Amino acid sequence: MRKLSMEELNRLTVADFKNTRKFPLALVLDNVRSLHNVGAAFRTADAFAIEKIWLCGITGRPPHREITKTALGSTDSVVWEYAPTTLEALQQLKAAGYALVAVEQTTGSQPLPAFAVEPGRPYALVMGNEVFGVEDDVLAFCDAAVEIPQFGTKHSLNVSVAAGVVLWDFISKISKIKERLDGN
């Protein structure tokens, strides 16, 4: 076994990535304060080829040295938009047909593995602040909430880690749906 070289990885150029079909997912950062977490979210969004990141409220925006340091150039490839409040972003997403899913531990949240993704439906995944989570008014506006099952002594994951876990789960489910629809 050996590591693959950069050439063997066949990575897309930024221009090719921008023209590539994306998964019908948007990531909404609800007042995420850490610029490193924002950069990591961009890098994860690029890796999973999602449609867009919404940066809301106090969430930092590119260009910023601390975001760039973690994003490793993905701020150039991933489409993003800023909204002064998360509710403004969610209103636009809902009007565009997105299902709004908060990633939060709530009385009504479903364990992530149990959440059923509807074929052809776009999803906006709302990630909350590192200390306070998803804001109450934002949570009330969402269609559903999912939580990542955890088995240790802590009750939360870093927001960028949680984003990676949830995006991977949704993409896995979307891919399986696509395979079934394509007859594979």
Side-chain angles (χ1 to χ4, degrees):
M1 182 180 334
R2 68 173 175 78
K3 293 180 191 177
L4 295 175
S5 69
M6 292 304 283
E7 294 78 31
E8 289 173 304
L9 292 174
N10 294 321
R11 298 287 181 194
L12 297 172
T13 65
V14 171
D16 289 339
F17 179 85
K18 287 185 178 204
N19 292 319
T20 290
R21 186 172 179 193
K22 307 295 186 292
F23 284 95
L25 295 167
L27 191 60
V28 180
L29 302 184
D30 176 28
N31 293 298
V32 171
R33 66 177 182 183
S34 165
L35 299 175
H36 292 288
N37 283 336
V38 175
F42 268 95
R43 196 164 160 190
T44 302
D46 177 281
F48 292 137
I50 71 167
E51 290 176 343
K52 189 177 201 175
I53 293 181
W54 283 84
L55 307 172
C56 305
I58 67 164
T59 305
R61 303 182 295 275
H64 192 285
R65 182 174 53 95
E66 295 301 317
I67 294 172
T68 303
K69 180 178 177 180
T70 312
L72 294 179
S74 56
T75 56
D76 296 328
S77 58
V78 176
V79 173
W80 64 274
E81 188 167 337
Y82 173 73
T85 70
T86 305
L87 282 177
E88 290 176 52
L90 294 183
Q91 288 166 346
Q92 288 185 48
L93 286 159
K94 188 168 267 215
Y98 283 75
L100 309 177
V101 180
V103 180
E104 186 63 83
Q105 297 163 332
T106 73
T107 55
S109 59
Q110 294 180 45
L112 182 60
F115 186 82
V117 174
E118 293 178 39
R121 182 131 195 225
Y123 288 86
L125 306 173
V126 183
M127 310 301 301
N129 175 277
E130 294 88 343
V131 175
F132 305 110
V134 176
E135 295 286 339
D136 290 340
D137 60 340
V138 170
L139 195 56
F141 195 74
C142 287
D143 302 309
V146 296
E147 64 178 274
I148 300 167
Q150 298 170 55
F151 308 102
T153 62
K154 301 302 173 196
H155 299 285
S156 67
L157 294 168
N158 175 280
V159 66
S160 67
V161 172
V165 169
V166 174
L167 284 169
W168 174 250
D169 182 79
F170 270 69
I171 287 169
S172 296
K173 291 171 180 173
I174 290 167
S175 296
K176 287 178 183 169
I177 290 168
K178 185 179 178 337
E179 287 174 10
R180 277 188 245 143
L181 294 175
D182 291 346
N184 294 332

